[in-house]
Amino acid sequence: MTTVLLVDDEPLVRVGFGMVLDAQPDLQVVGQAGDGAAAVTLARDLRPDVVLMDVRMPVLDGVQATAQIVAAGLPSRVLVLTTFDLDEHAFSALRAGASGFLLKNTEPADLLAAIRTVARGDAVVSPRVTRRLLETFAAGLPSGATGRDTRLDVLTDREREVLGHVARGLSNAEIAAHLVLSELTVKTHVGRILAKTGLRDRTQAAVLAYEARLVTPG
């Protein structure tokens, strides 16, 4: 059973998402919050597998709430909800530690698949959309937030190469075909990259790659 915390300042939105999720035998809504501060408190108390997080909310916005949940070392993975696919708030949430983002008008089937994917920690949600988001806003990162990152020093040349392809939105199968490797080998490389850098998932790896200028927009 995958447990989910719903966070949105509009009650009707929470009710709608809740009805979709509770109709699934493997998903359970364990709590709801109308602002970021309440979300952080409930995440600490309930320790859900996934937090479905709006970004624009009163008291504490979704970006700050995401940062606090990640900083607290909670097992919860944050899936951000946004109105626009190229949203600076969504980009900030990814940098703060969110595992992916979805549009609020996404189809129910895609929402359910995304929650299950994030809960497994297997892959980033909509990798190519995430890539477009990263490319759009990474270009405007201040110089002090980019440049050499010592976390890359522990990676082998092959792992850096794989990380670059992850940041470009390629799946394990696509990376395997491009580098003429087995998919299992690529999966092993990705696992080692995450372990060596202390990152939680592919989304965070992609953010690191852009911030460290391992890959550049365009």
Side-chain angles (χ1 to χ4, degrees), residues 26-46:
D26 61 328
L27 301 177
Q28 179 185 11
V29 176
V30 293
Q32 298 187 20
D35 63 73
V40 174
T41 298
L42 287 177
R44 291 177 183 273
D45 293 342
L46 302 174

Side-chain angles (χ1 to χ4, degrees), residues 151 192-201:
R151 286 177 294 180
R192 287 175 178 167
I193 290 168
L194 297 180
K196 287 182 176 181
T197 57
L199 298 170
R200 299 182 68 181
D201 51 45

